[in-house]
Amino acid sequence: MCGIHGFTWTNQKQIDEMLRLSEKRGPDGEGTYADTEISLGHNLLAITENPEASQQPWTASDNHILCYNGEIYNYKELKNDLEKQGNSFETDSDTEVLAKGLLTHGIDFIKKLDGMYAIAWYNKENGTVSLARDNAGVKPLYYSRPNGKLAFSSSIKSLLSLGLERTLDKTAFGMYRWLGYVAGPKTLISSVKKLVPGECITYNIETRQVVSSFSTQPKMESSQREFEPSEFRDEVSDTVRRCLMGRRPIGLFLSGGLDSSMILHELAQYDNKPRTFTTRFTCDKQDSNDRFNSDADIAQKLSEEYGTEHTDFLVTLDNFLDSIEPCIEALEEPRFNKNTPAYYLMNQELARQGIVVTLSGDGGDEI
């Protein structure tokens, strides 16, 4: 998943500590960049290229440095366009495509991206750093303004290592109490904010001001039209195809519901048989066991029908309770979701089997 970190002053010890606290985000390596104005750090999880060819921070030019976490699903199409504009490439990574695109078109290039990402783009020429987050908000990006300067990170705990004030934001706590999460730019810590989905801000290091901001969120159409089933199916199929990027084996959270079942079907159309994973719960009473595991039974049948290598992971009372505190540490921002420990345990099993790229379905009820 990678991790990006930085602040608008120079301190190698502090940036190294931010990397250490987020090392689980990037097992394939880490890197730093520093000059008199800024310090940048990156934890690497390589998806589309060998780690040796994906090291960050990425030097796009003598005056432009990129730190990036995510996947750009349309990077091959963007790469073709950039090649037509005279760019050449040394790797097959989406990182290089993003760097060359930003260098060619400026920060507005992110409007062309289809993917999930958190981006820091340092422009030494005009003394600015731009931060951007994907439309769906899949990748987190937190920031703070200590003494008017800028500090940012993929991880709250890395950001707090800079010695920020740790006081509770009571308004944010009210949101959490009533909604089950903290909406908007706030977090539960008053000194830490987050970019909202689709937000991009540009900060001037000299003036210590945010000089521009915009959103990449698509505008809602004034009138709605009904989509034909074939149109919807084509969109889903194309979306699944775009996710089949990179060199890593793919896992699928198979719940037995409409959304994940549909993804499995589309993967099969592209001759891709992912490893599938489902949680199963132990219960004291047999009738309860049947009720709670009906989805797991359906997932098992789907796995057999599509011929996938399937893991039926057993969640017990003991391992569920043991994972609650590690969940809190991993999430950083708490959520009202009673299934989170089960997700945590399943992800541990995925990691044990060497799976770091997973697909899942969100939106089965809407379908």
Side-chain angles (χ1 to χ4, degrees):
M1 50 188 164
C2 296
I4 66 173
H5 321 275
F7 42 78
T8 54
W9 64 89
T10 304
N11 190 312
Q12 188 64 42
K13 184 177 179 180
Q14 286 183 321
I15 198 68
D16 286 345
E17 178 66 5
M18 293 180 82
L19 288 170
R20 185 189 70 80
L21 290 169
S22 293
E23 61 186 358
K24 289 183 179 180
R25 298 188 69 89
D28 293 329
E30 61 182 44
T32 62
Y33 168 88
D35 61 23
T36 57
E37 301 293 334
I38 200 168
S39 299
L40 299 171
H42 186 268
N43 303 101
L44 175 66
L45 173 65
I47 301 296
T48 63
E49 187 62 272
N50 290 326
E52 294 77 12
S54 304
Q55 294 297 319
Q56 296 188 49
W58 186 282
T59 303
S61 77
D62 290 341
N63 292 313
H64 298 85
I65 308 295
L66 171 67
C67 267
Y68 153 64
N69 166 32
E71 292 182 65
I72 307 303
Y73 298 129
N74 63 334
Y75 83 101
K76 291 187 176 180
E77 293 94 326
L78 295 173
K79 182 179 181 180
N80 289 335
D81 292 341
L82 290 166
E83 286 176 331
K84 292 176 183 177
Q85 297 165 22
N87 290 280
S88 60
F89 294 85
E90 298 179 1
T91 73
D92 190 37
S93 70
D94 55 346
T95 302
E96 186 178 11
V97 172
L98 177 58
K100 293 285 178 66
L102 289 167
L103 191 61
T104 304
H105 297 284
I107 195 61
D108 281 352
F109 182 70
I110 66 169
K111 297 176 181 177
K112 299 176 180 288
L113 305 182
D114 175 14
M116 53 181 182
Y117 54 80
I119 295 169
W121 176 246
Y122 173 45
N123 186 333
K124 188 189 298 188
E125 234 170 12
N126 60 19
T128 63
V129 56
S130 297
L131 304 178
R133 188 180 180 197
D134 65 86
N135 286 340
V138 176
K139 297 300 182 182
L141 189 52
Y142 304 98
Y143 69 94
S144 186
R145 297 289 304 278
N147 300 316
K149 296 183 178 182
L150 177 68
F152 62 88
S153 178
S154 300
S155 169
I156 291 178
K157 57 178 174 287
S158 288
L159 203 53
L160 291 176
S161 72
L162 300 175
L164 304 179
E165 185 180 355
R166 303 188 183 202
T167 57
L168 178 68
D169 187 312
K170 294 182 180 179
T171 301
F173 180 73
M175 291 185 200
Y176 173 69
R177 181 184 178 189
W178 292 106
L179 300 177
Y181 68 101
V182 180
K186 288 181 175 289
T187 72
L188 289 172
I189 303 169
S190 58
S191 62
V192 177
K193 303 292 186 288
K194 60 178 179 283
L195 264 67
V196 298
E199 185 178 13
C200 177
I201 63 173
T202 297
Y203 172 88
N204 185 286
I205 297 173
E206 181 179 2
T207 65
R208 300 187 180 183
Q209 298 292 326
V210 174
V211 293
S212 68
S213 64
F214 63 85
S215 175
T216 59
Q217 291 283 5
K219 294 181 179 179
M220 296 294 293
E221 296 180 8
S222 56
S223 61
Q224 296 182 347
R225 69 178 183 87
E226 291 187 2
F227 281 83
E228 294 294 327
S230 59
E231 288 183 88
F232 174 73
R233 188 167 193 164
D234 289 345
E235 288 289 338
V236 172
S237 181
D238 188 56
T239 299
V240 171
R241 177 188 61 80
R242 288 173 181 266
C243 291
L244 299 178
M245 59 183 286
R247 59 188 185 87
R248 301 277 194 165
I250 289 177
L252 172 65
F253 292 115
L254 186 61
S255 68
L258 286 173
D259 45 359
S260 63
S261 302
M262 180 175 62
I263 293 171
L264 175 59
H265 177 80
E266 294 300 336
L267 285 169
Q269 311 314 302
Y270 294 107
D271 294 323
N272 186 295
K273 286 188 179 180
R275 292 191 217 171
T276 52
F277 298 82
T278 305
T279 52
R280 185 175 293 276
F281 297 89
T282 57
C283 300
D284 292 334
K285 298 179 180 179
Q286 183 61 38
D287 59 340
S288 296
N289 188 60
D290 290 339
R291 179 164 60 90
F292 285 115
N293 290 315
S294 58
D295 284 353
D297 293 339
I298 295 172
Q300 179 68 46
K301 291 179 181 178
L302 284 167
S303 170
E304 293 170 0
E305 181 175 340
Y306 285 93
T308 68
E309 182 181 337
H310 188 64
T311 297
D312 210 37
F313 184 81
L314 189 63
V315 178
T316 68
L317 178 61
D318 287 340
N319 64 17
F320 186 93
L321 293 176
D322 288 344
S323 67
I324 290 176
E325 288 195 16
C327 279
I328 295 170
E329 181 182 358
L331 281 175
E332 296 195 316
E333 286 193 283
R335 300 282 195 278
F336 283 179
N337 189 338
K338 60 187 178 183
N339 290 323
T340 299
Y343 296 148
Y344 179 85
L345 290 165
M346 177 60 83
N347 277 285
Q348 280 191 319
E349 177 62 20
L350 285 160
R352 190 188 68 78
Q353 294 191 26
I355 300 291
V356 296
V357 177
T358 57
L359 302 184
S360 65
D362 290 312
D365 295 336
E366 288 79 1
I367 292 168

